Amino acid sequence: MAAASEFLDRRVDPGTLPLAVGDVLVILAFLYAGSLRHQTVGLPPTADGLVHLGGVAAPFLLGWVLVAVPIGAYSAGAGESAKASVPLAIRSWIGTAVIGLGLRATPLFPGGVQLTFAAVVVGVGAVSLGVFRYVAGRLRG
């Protein structure tokens, strides 16, 4: 148990909490935008639409936790500048997309996986998180 605690201490700096919240909001926003585009949720979203969005987002949020923390997306220094933050987010997203798409290929999650969807998820996710991290880094100083 001590080894896990030491690992997390090195990989998660409490000062990066705003980045973590922002990353999750960015992921949810672009998945929601895609769901709106494909008319699987409405505007404003209904309870059923939010449940569907949860099913769409869950594999990617799980993937984000499994990849971003070990990569160090929230480690000390990760949020100090865009130069440090953006590559960590993009590398994290690529691994996240692989996990999320893999989970969507199972009957546990809605949507399935098509090649065009995979390309859009990887590209839009990387750009969205990269832009957010760049802006956050510039605002931070």
Side-chain angles (χ1 to χ4, degrees):
M1 197 67 166
S5 177
E6 289 174 21
F7 175 80
L8 287 175
D9 286 346
R10 288 192 312 269
R11 292 295 182 200
V12 179
D13 177 7
T16 61
L17 180 62
L19 275 183
V21 170
D23 289 340
V24 168
L25 290 175
V26 167
I27 292 167
L28 290 173
F30 90 77
L31 292 172
Y32 180 66
S35 294
L36 277 173
R37 168 110 171 82
H38 294 284
Q39 300 173 346
T40 56
V41 297
L43 189 61
T46 63
D48 287 344
L50 290 175
V51 168
H52 179 79
L53 181 62
V56 168
F60 297 102
L61 294 175
L62 177 62
W64 185 255
V65 171
L66 292 174
V67 175
V69 171
I71 281 181
Y74 303 111
S75 60
E80 294 299 318
S81 70
K83 185 177 180 180
S85 188
V86 171
L88 288 169
I90 292 171
R91 284 196 309 256
S92 296
W93 182 251
I94 292 168
T96 295
V98 169
I99 291 170
L101 291 166
L103 289 172
R104 278 180 58 106
T106 71
L108 298 174
F109 296 97
V113 178
Q114 297 79 26
L115 184 57
T116 53
F117 174 72
V120 168
V121 162
V122 171
V124 172
V127 169
S128 298
L129 287 162
V131 167
F132 165 69
R133 288 286 189 108
Y134 177 79
V135 170
R138 300 292 292 178
L139 292 174
R140 192 165 180 144

